[in-house]
Amino acid sequence: MSSFSALKILPSHPIAGEHRRHSSPFHAAPAGRLLRSSGANYLSSSSSVTAAGRPVRVLSANVVSNEKQIGSALAAITSKEALDLYEDMVLGRSFEDMCAQMYYRGKMFGFVHLYNGQEAVSTGFIRLLTARDTVVSTYRDHVHALSKGVPARAVMAELFGKTTGCCRGQGGSMHMFSREHNLIGGFAFIGEGIPVATGAAFSSKYRREVLKESCDDVTIAFFGDGTCNNGQFFECLNMAALWKLPIVFVVENNLWAIGMSHFRATSDPEIWKKGPPFGIPGAHVDGMDVLKVREVAKDAIARARRGDGPTLVECETYRFRGHSLADPDELRNPDEKARYSSRDPIAALKKYVLEHNLVPESELKAIDKKIDELIEEAVEFADSSPAPPRSQLLENVFADPKGFGIGPDGKYRCEDPGFTQGTAQV
């Protein structure tokens, strides 16, 4: 049986009553439309389980799409859509594999966290977004940037610390940013991107309701399972629900927070359940299956875009490499790693596309070749690009360069020609 069988639907908890009033930061809103689960509308489910032994749960279909059976149209993707999904996933995987090579050759420095194995989540969500929509990522952000349209050469140059990088070489692996593509981080500390994403969603609502602009922009906040016991996560769920912000909270649950098993770190490992107490629909989906992720993402994004508020989606996925390239990856069980590796999301999509005669294999091979050439060009571009000048160290630190303070001679430190002497060569 194909790994792309229809999603199994289980009931979600009631998340609102008819008496519930949705607050707005701008004006008093009328009572919100009822979003609740009715026992008569539950969709049947078989006892399918994930590799971690949990049933695949998604939110009750009537919560997000008026009883449309999520997963019923999994086969109904066009050839063009199939090629786009495949190309984006192959780009992410090939880029990360090249990053590993470059890191071990000494072309990259610091911590580099690769995304191998999790491509179905990035592709499943981001390829549904518009150019105006916003993505907020984590320290595992290279592939999110690529999916959002940041050129591979700009991401690679940033990893090389060059001026042609998307942050002029000042961000590095964990701080990808592109205003042009509405990618606003890359954040190194867990949880710190969630408030930023909530603020971005707030700005969309503010522009629409206060400034009366035509704005239906949506924000996607990506974060991991290790973040979901942090205070920022719960505070932002509350604010997003209170103000019905256009945001989708996407948990990339790869089951490990560095070397800590998810099942040892939290009292209830089912993260999707943390949404309903705030009035937010919660979903659990197989994050190794891009078509399943895509179907849930469609509903969650559409729900946010039409003003119905946030959704919490837990994508159960797995990283094929250690936490970072400095991690020997000795803590995870080899059988567990092998079990998830056998469910490679790219191989599964390729198998599905060929079995359903969506595109000939020759077109997939052409994409593979195209991506290989693109990655090689990105490396050549990054390697030949200039390093930032030492004077750039003083930029983007303080709004006023005089904030560096006054030296022993009574002059501003930034005015001393030798101010940056002794710093590491960039």
Side-chain angles (χ1 to χ4, degrees):
M1 185 176 180
S2 169
S3 64
F4 287 85
S5 57
L7 292 177
K8 305 301 185 290
I9 311 295
L10 292 183
S12 65
H13 299 295
I15 63 171
E18 295 202 21
H19 65 280
R20 176 168 182 153
R21 182 174 291 273
H22 288 281
S23 176
S24 168
F26 316 123
H27 55 76
R33 182 175 179 271
L34 177 64
L35 288 174
R36 64 181 178 182
S37 300
S38 168
N41 290 329
Y42 290 158
L43 300 178
S44 61
S45 169
S46 64
S47 57
S48 175
V49 296
T50 67
R54 292 198 278 151
V56 175
R57 289 181 174 85
V58 302
L59 40 77
S60 183
N62 62 320
V63 172
V64 291
S65 57
N66 296 324
E67 300 184 17
K68 168 190 169 186
Q69 184 169 348
I70 297 174
S72 60
L74 287 181
I77 61 169
T78 66
S79 297
K80 182 178 179 181
E81 290 169 336
L83 289 171
D84 180 70
L85 296 175
Y86 182 79
E87 180 170 335
D88 192 63
M89 293 174 74
V90 170
L91 171 61
R93 178 70 60 83
S94 299
F95 187 92
E96 297 292 68
D97 285 343
M98 182 59 75
C99 283
Q101 291 186 43
M102 296 298 104
Y103 179 86
Y104 293 126
R105 291 182 190 179
K107 296 292 186 180
M108 299 176 188
F109 305 94
F111 288 102
V112 177
H113 307 81
L114 300 187
Y115 199 75
N116 299 55
Q118 301 182 203
E119 295 88 357
V121 182
S122 179
T123 297
F125 272 92
I126 297 178
R127 299 307 291 175
L128 293 172
L129 299 179
T130 69
R132 288 173 53 98
D133 292 331
T134 296
V135 167
V136 178
S137 184
T138 67
Y139 47 75
R140 206 178 301 278
D141 57 354
H142 314 159
V143 176
H144 293 154
L146 295 171
S147 292
K148 195 61 171 74
V150 183
R153 52 164 39 194
V155 179
M156 189 66 76
E158 186 60 35
L159 286 158
F160 276 48
K162 300 299 184 69
T163 55
T164 53
C166 56
C167 297
R168 299 192 303 155
Q170 289 183 273
S173 173
M174 296 187 281
H175 299 284
M176 295 293 165
F177 177 92
S178 175
R179 182 176 182 180
E180 175 188 354
H181 299 90
N182 286 312
L183 173 76
I184 56 175
F187 292 89
F189 288 97
I190 64 169
E192 69 173 332
I194 302 177
V196 175
T198 305
F202 180 93
S203 73
S204 296
K205 190 176 180 76
Y206 186 89
R207 290 200 302 271
R208 182 173 63 250
E209 295 193 5
V210 176
L211 302 181
K212 305 303 180 183
E213 297 179 3
S214 176
C215 179
D216 63 355
D217 303 346
V218 171
T219 297
I220 305 291
F222 290 99
F223 49 94
D225 50 285
T227 297
C228 296
N229 294 319
N230 282 22
Q232 303 101 307
F233 169 62
F234 295 100
E235 292 173 26
C236 290
L237 288 183
N238 179 63
M239 283 189 282
L242 179 66
W243 295 333
K244 293 185 70 176
L245 299 182
I247 185 171
V248 183
F249 297 100
V250 181
V251 186
E252 298 190 88
N253 183 2
N254 60 26
L255 308 180
W256 289 85
I258 307 181
M260 171 61 73
S261 167
H262 173 59
F263 299 99
R264 292 180 59 206
T266 185
S267 58
D268 187 347
E270 295 181 291
I271 300 170
W272 66 275
K273 289 183 177 179
K274 300 183 188 216
F278 292 93
I280 297 176
H284 178 277
V285 66
D286 181 357
M288 304 297 282
D289 186 328
V290 68
L291 298 186
K292 291 178 182 176
V293 172
R294 188 169 180 268
E295 286 302 304
V296 173
K298 277 183 182 178
D299 281 319
I301 293 169
R303 184 170 182 274
R305 206 177 296 285
R306 65 177 177 258
D308 289 344
T311 305
L312 173 64
V313 181
E314 177 188 359
C315 301
E316 187 174 320
T317 183
Y318 205 76
R319 51 175 165 80
F320 290 167
R321 292 179 179 267
H323 173 69
S324 74
L325 288 174
D327 176 15
D329 197 20
E330 297 173 345
L331 297 174
R332 297 189 296 174
N333 186 293
D335 292 338
E336 176 185 284
K337 290 192 281 187
R339 187 164 61 248
Y340 274 97
S341 294
S342 69
R343 300 181 59 237
D344 187 316
I346 298 177
L349 176 62
K350 182 177 181 178
K351 181 174 183 289
Y352 178 87
V353 166
L354 295 177
E355 285 181 350
H356 288 79
N357 298 314
L358 291 174
V359 294
E361 188 172 11
S362 59
E363 289 194 46
L364 300 183
K365 290 181 177 179
I367 288 176
D368 294 341
K369 184 175 184 295
K370 171 186 172 182
I371 296 300
D372 285 343
E373 293 172 352
L374 180 70
I375 300 301
E376 289 292 340
E377 190 276 334
V379 170
E380 292 174 5
F381 173 78
D383 201 33
S384 61
S385 294
R390 184 172 292 190
S391 60
Q392 192 173 310
L393 288 169
L394 304 182
E395 298 180 24
N396 303 316
V397 179
F398 292 100
D400 180 357
K402 294 182 179 180
F404 283 100
I406 298 174
D409 57 1
K411 296 181 180 179
Y412 286 108
R413 294 182 187 275
C414 64
E415 296 174 353
D416 180 357
F419 180 69
T420 59
Q421 285 184 3
T423 57
Q425 289 287 348
V426 178

